[in-house]
């Protein structure tokens, strides 16, 4: 082969390696925070909250725990208010707060989590998306007749 063909083959090989690495990272990333938290942290049923708020305990500080979860699960948004950390996902909300020298990790559906932590999450613009919260009024489609 001539030099141009070797360059083309080399470029194609480099692109193939980059695509393979990106594919491996995407495939191995655990986008389900519930699964990741359940595998990584100790279940604490006694600390569960109403409406299916699942509690887990971690030995590390809240900032470190939230960073670990975020790195593994790629949340849509992450915020904190002091030592309380919140990770927003399409269907879930994970709240990490101080507890007994470590952290309490609370996993909720997004709607329940935003209602449970509304004093913090509403300041981020996160709303529960409930039917009542989304109602904007209006009227009939036929002009009220």
């Amino acid at each position: 082969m001539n030099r141009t063909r070797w360059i083309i083959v080399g470029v194609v090989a480099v692109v193939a390696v980059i695509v393979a690495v990106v594919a491996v990272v995407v495939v191995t990333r655990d986008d389900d925070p519930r699964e990741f938290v359940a595998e990584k942290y100790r279940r604490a049923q006694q600390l569960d909250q109403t409406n299916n708020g699942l509690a887990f305990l971690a030995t590390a500080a809240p900032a470190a725990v939230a960073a670990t979860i975020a790195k593994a699960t790629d949340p849509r948004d992450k915020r904190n208010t002091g030592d309380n950390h919140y990770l927003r996902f399409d269907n879930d909300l994970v709240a990490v707060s101080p507890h007994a020298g470590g952290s309490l990790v609370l996993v909720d559906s997004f709607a329940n989590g935003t209602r449970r932590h509304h004093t913090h999450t509403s300041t981020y613009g996160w709303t529960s998306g409930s039917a009542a919260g989304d109602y904007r009024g209006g009227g009939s489609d036929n002009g009220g007749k």
Side-chain angles (χ1 to χ4, degrees):
M1 280 199 265
N2 64 27
R3 181 181 170 135
T4 303
R5 288 185 188 198
W6 278 112
I7 291 173
I8 292 171
V9 168
V11 168
V12 169
V14 168
V15 169
V17 167
I18 291 170
V19 167
V21 168
V22 168
V24 167
V25 168
V26 167
V27 168
T28 59
R29 181 171 224 137
D30 187 359
D31 289 332
D32 182 1
R34 290 176 180 271
E35 187 177 313
F36 178 79
V37 169
E39 290 174 3
K40 179 89 174 153
Y41 303 106
R42 183 170 53 93
R43 184 75 168 91
Q45 288 179 317
Q46 73 278 11
L47 298 174
D48 282 356
Q49 302 292 308
T50 58
N51 296 321
N52 299 317
L54 302 179
F56 298 84
L57 295 174
T59 56
V65 172
T68 298
I69 296 168
K71 184 176 180 182
T73 59
D74 195 25
R76 290 183 65 196
D77 198 2
K78 54 187 174 186
R79 304 286 178 98
N80 71 291
T81 303
D83 286 338
N84 298 315
H85 294 259
Y86 303 93
L87 304 174
R88 177 185 180 171
F89 298 87
D90 288 335
N91 299 313
D92 298 300
L93 183 115
V94 176
V96 184
S97 58
H99 180 79
S103 298
L104 171 66
V105 180
L106 189 61
V107 181
D108 271 302
S109 70
F110 182 72
N112 286 339
T114 53
R115 283 191 291 270
R116 185 182 318 283
H117 305 287
H118 72 276
T119 56
H120 299 290
T121 61
S122 64
T123 63
Y124 310 146
W126 300 354
T127 59
S128 68
S130 68
D134 290 342
Y135 181 70
R136 289 187 173 81
S140 67
D141 291 335
N142 62 1
K145 298 178 186 173

